[in-house]
Amino acid sequence: MASGKTPWPMRSCRRVDRFQSRVVTSRNPKLAREAEESLTTKQRLASPWERRRPRTTQLRDMGGVSHQKFSAVDPDQRLFQPFPSQVVFENYVPRQFYMATLALRNRDRVPRLLNVILGNSPYFELISPSDEDYKVAAGMSSTYRILFRPDENKDYFDELIIITEREKFFVPIRAIGARAILDFPEQLNFTDCPVRFSTRKTLLVRNVGKREACYSITTLSPFSVDLSIGTLGVGEAMEVTVEFHPPKTGVYSSPMIVHYDTGEDVHKSLSGTAVDVNIRLDKSSLTVEKASITLSNQRSLVIHNQSAITAHFQWKRFVDQEEEERQKLRLQRQEEDKLHDVPKEHGVVPPLREHPSLPLCTFQNQGTEVQGDCMPFCNDIFTIVPMEGDILPNSSLEMNVIFKPKEARVYQETVYCDISGCETRLPLCLRGEGVGPHVELSCDQLSIGKVFVGSTHSYRVLLLNRGVVETHFSVVYPERAVGCCFTFTPREGMLLPFEHQVIGISFNATVLGQFTEEFQFSVKGSPEPLTLTVSGCVIGPAFHFDVSCLCFGEVSFGFPRTLCCRLTNASSVPFNFNLRIPGDGSGAPSVTSFAQVSDSIGLSWRKRARGANKPAEFTIRPFTGTMCSEGHLDIQVTLCSNTVKRYKLALVVDVDGVGKELLSLPVRARCVIPTLRVLHPAVPFGRCSLKVPYQQMLTLVNDSNLPGCYWALPQENKAAAAVWYSSPEPRGIIQPHSSVEIPFTLEVQVTGKQDTVARVAVFGSKESPLKVHLLSTGEGPVVHVHPSEINFGSIQVLQDVSRTLHLSNQSVIPASFSAKMAGENSCWSIGPSQGVIPAKAEVSVAVTANLDDTEQFKDEVVLFIENSRTYIIPVQAVGIGTTIVIDKPFGPKLQLGPCFSLDPCCYCFQMTNKGRRTHLLYWTTEGGTTLQQCNHLPPISNTKGKVSSCGPVFTLQPLRTELMPGQTAEMVLEGSCRTPQVVKEKLLCHAIVGNEGVKNLIMQVDVTCEFIAPALQICTREITFRVEKHPGDVLTLQYKPLSLKNMCSLPLSVVLALEQPFSICTADQQPLPADAQPMKLRSGEELQLCIRFNPAYEEDLLIWAAEKALKIKFLEHPHEEQVTVRGEVSFPNLQMQTTALDFGCILNDTKDVRYMEMTNCSPLVVQYH
């Protein structure tokens, strides 16, 4: 650090003047880095400031901080104007101090508060004129200093927060570090460069800056730069090539922008001029001599290059690049159209990506080729060799144009030479003529005369080649019908020079009449085809029937009838024929009466005749076939009429390939329906049980000469009918002058007399069906009920008591019944309440009474018999007992079991009034008896049987209770006794029911309870520990076992207490856990414990003894037990007769002897010294 500088941080304004001042204001975004690096501090400070509007983040309410709520400064302007609007540090050295000044001028007409805040930055420090907010007078400025100390030569950024009375805005602080500078020339000029040719210039560029340059270079077409992205170290150099490729003549200019990674852009200028050079063709039109097809001819062409460049040329199809691009776009659209047409051609639904099996790759590849194709000249007729190449400066190149025609005509094509150095393509017009082959027929007219239809004839003609080249020929057939009867052999082939070909012609006549057909021979390379004209006449065969008419006479509706005839061929050629009867129906075959009889579907006959198409009533066998030459065939024609009418039709013959209806045979017939009648229109069935089938026969008579077909129609709307009827044999055929019997089955559904109309239809008849009356009387079931009344007598209330009701069915049909009680909320129930009584059978029904009061009850059982009468059976009963119900076992004897004396015994239960009347209950105790008291506590079982009198032990709360119907009361039975004994008492409950004024005893309960005291069996009543401490011995803990057994019939909760130096342990000599007490002992359970003695409890070595009581308490009873625990510890001790010897006054140099008795008071041998 330079001498004289104040260490960091610096707060005093008086010392700041000695700091270096390197501050710059905001500048134009296009930085001229070379000029800025050379500026001194004074020059930068002297440069004019650029004012920028500060960034505002928050508007404040002036009324909350100032009385001056209105300002003369526009709302879009700041109250304080910062100078400069941006603080910039440049050209600094790391770890040196630099200072900048910021002035804030009050633009308002009144004083305003100002506060400037700088963030917590280790590189910038704000030196304010005041440590607190203060007001700045109108039009005055407040100056702040920003102190900057960089750690390294890099960019730094921070912001000053300016808070005024109206807004909060920011002033940025920037420190710009070292920068890289590439010394590109300011301008680079390309003069008089060939058009459509690449001209390059190489520059040597150095990094003259103070930082490694990471750059990227961009420019505009037609200029381009290699090494457009890279890195160059400080002081290093590199070569950069700039290329100029103008597409057209003229003057070009473009900026070259160098982008640095630090964000600066440097603009350079590029310019150039494009001109045409001297390159030309020796001729603009070229005519090639005539050539025969499949042969070729050629001429030469020269390109002259009189320029100083190596020119590259290529022959093109189009006049310029724009036309070539339009042609590419058109071909690309055609390929896309083909791509969209693929699903329609293959029957596939888009999208195509779901069907990879389609040939999509082919179209996609073609589209890619079209996009990248340079569209060179390509033609099957004209070929230029070479198609492209290079021509050296000031030289010429000779090339050949090859003409190979494919047809006999004149060809003309214009091609374009695309060559470097020329703005436009050089045109060349190519012309040539092709010479075709010389072929002719031996004759051009062929007459075949008269031929029979279906016969085959053969002919021959010659095809001659009188030319010098071989050629291909083919026969073109006409589109008319007769043309398809001809066959040419061969149909196509090659014809060698000066050779001929025999053409065979076969004719198979299929169309009658005169004909003239023209056949053309197409010769490849010849503009006009050869024509052969063939003419003649085709005649048909002769045939006839052996009868003049087919007469069927009268036929019955739906009954088929067959007639025969013979068809004879009088010609010498066979033919295929078809027989048909025009006017016959085109629908389904007509229905025969036999099919109607076997039909199980049962469709209406009249509806069958109303189809969309008339039925086909005639059947011809055979109706098609082949008739041999001069042969015959027998034909059968069957008529099954489904239409009442007269038939005047004809049987016609169609011959394949000849014509329709060449011969006809008249057909005559008349269809009638026979008249049928019912012999007895009324059929009596008599009395019928419901839903039982009955059967009778119906006689049907045919008085006509034709057979008939009948059908007993099924019953309509059968579900709602009172009588169901059907026929097991509803269809049949009745012969002429005969009768048949039709069975009818009837089932009556309701009672009473019934007259049911059945219908019999005649096949084909449009008249109403024949009516038949089925007469019947319906009867329901007969049921006998016994007993006729039920008396339950006196029964306990709230208990189910049942009686049986017998239902006997006397009829042959089942009887459905349902039963219920006449009264609402009845005390009686019926089960089952409904069911079916089988025919000639009996069913039992249980009537159950459950009375809820002690009085007489009456009701009636209502028994419904379906389709029969209703029965009323009276029932009655008298309730006895009580309707008070207790939820727990209570009477007549209540055993409460054992209970500890001095501990109250409680028994809680609920009493519910399930009757209809209010009960007022009173509880009393009858004189109780007790057993004699025991003189000792355990055991108590030997005191039973000794009786002594005492007062009542048990009490019941509450003693008086009023229970409404359905109400429940909580009752508590309590008992206690001070001495162990067995107590037995009798509890009496009296009740006043309803409005009765007399108390009645409704309940008495014998209560017994055994009061006992805790009985604990202890293994010993005294535990003694004796320990002798010999020299060298170590005192250890001593243990002795203790067992406790519960001898009473109830579990005990035992709590043990023992003082030190004794303690209670578990059976495995572990200290008893703190939560182990109280210890639960079930009846008869034994607990094993240990008593621990600590002989080292007393720290001196004197003989000592301790005696404590192990207290055993019970949580259920105040009785206590004790066990004496004693511990003795013996040491080798001596007992002195006295503890002090007083020799009194003795003379010097004299001796006085005193004797003291010493006693061994321990049981041990004592060695002393």
Side-chain angles (χ1 to χ4, degrees), residues 820-833:
K820 68 175 185 177
M821 300 306 299
E824 295 183 358
N825 300 324
S826 178
C827 296
W828 281 272
S829 61
I830 304 173
S833 61

Side-chain angles (χ1 to χ4, degrees), residues 358-433:
L358 298 179
L360 300 182
C361 296
T362 302
F363 295 108
Q364 294 174 355
N365 294 337
Q366 291 177 359
T368 304
E369 292 175 0
V370 169
Q371 188 68 22
D373 191 9
C374 61
M375 305 294 285
F377 172 71
C378 181
N379 194 284
D380 295 338
I381 306 301
F382 293 99
T383 304
I384 303 177
V385 180
M387 282 292 297
E388 64 176 320
D390 295 326
I391 307 175
L392 299 177
N394 299 315
S395 62
S396 301
L397 178 64
E398 182 178 1
M399 54 190 65
N400 295 325
V401 178
I402 302 172
F403 173 57
K404 188 176 182 180
K406 294 184 178 181
E407 296 180 0
R409 66 180 182 88
V410 176
Y411 293 90
Q412 185 172 345
E413 188 77 25
T414 302
V415 297
Y416 303 91
C417 182
D418 186 11
I419 190 167
S420 303
C422 294
E423 181 179 359
T424 61
R425 298 176 179 178
L426 305 179
L428 175 63
C429 181
L430 302 178
R431 181 181 177 86
E433 182 179 355

Side-chain angles (χ1 to χ4, degrees), residues 53-59 78 167-170:
R53 179 175 297 178
R55 179 169 60 92
T56 303
T57 61
Q58 183 181 356
L59 294 177
R78 310 285 77 81
E167 68 270 326
K168 179 171 71 173
F169 60 91
F170 296 91

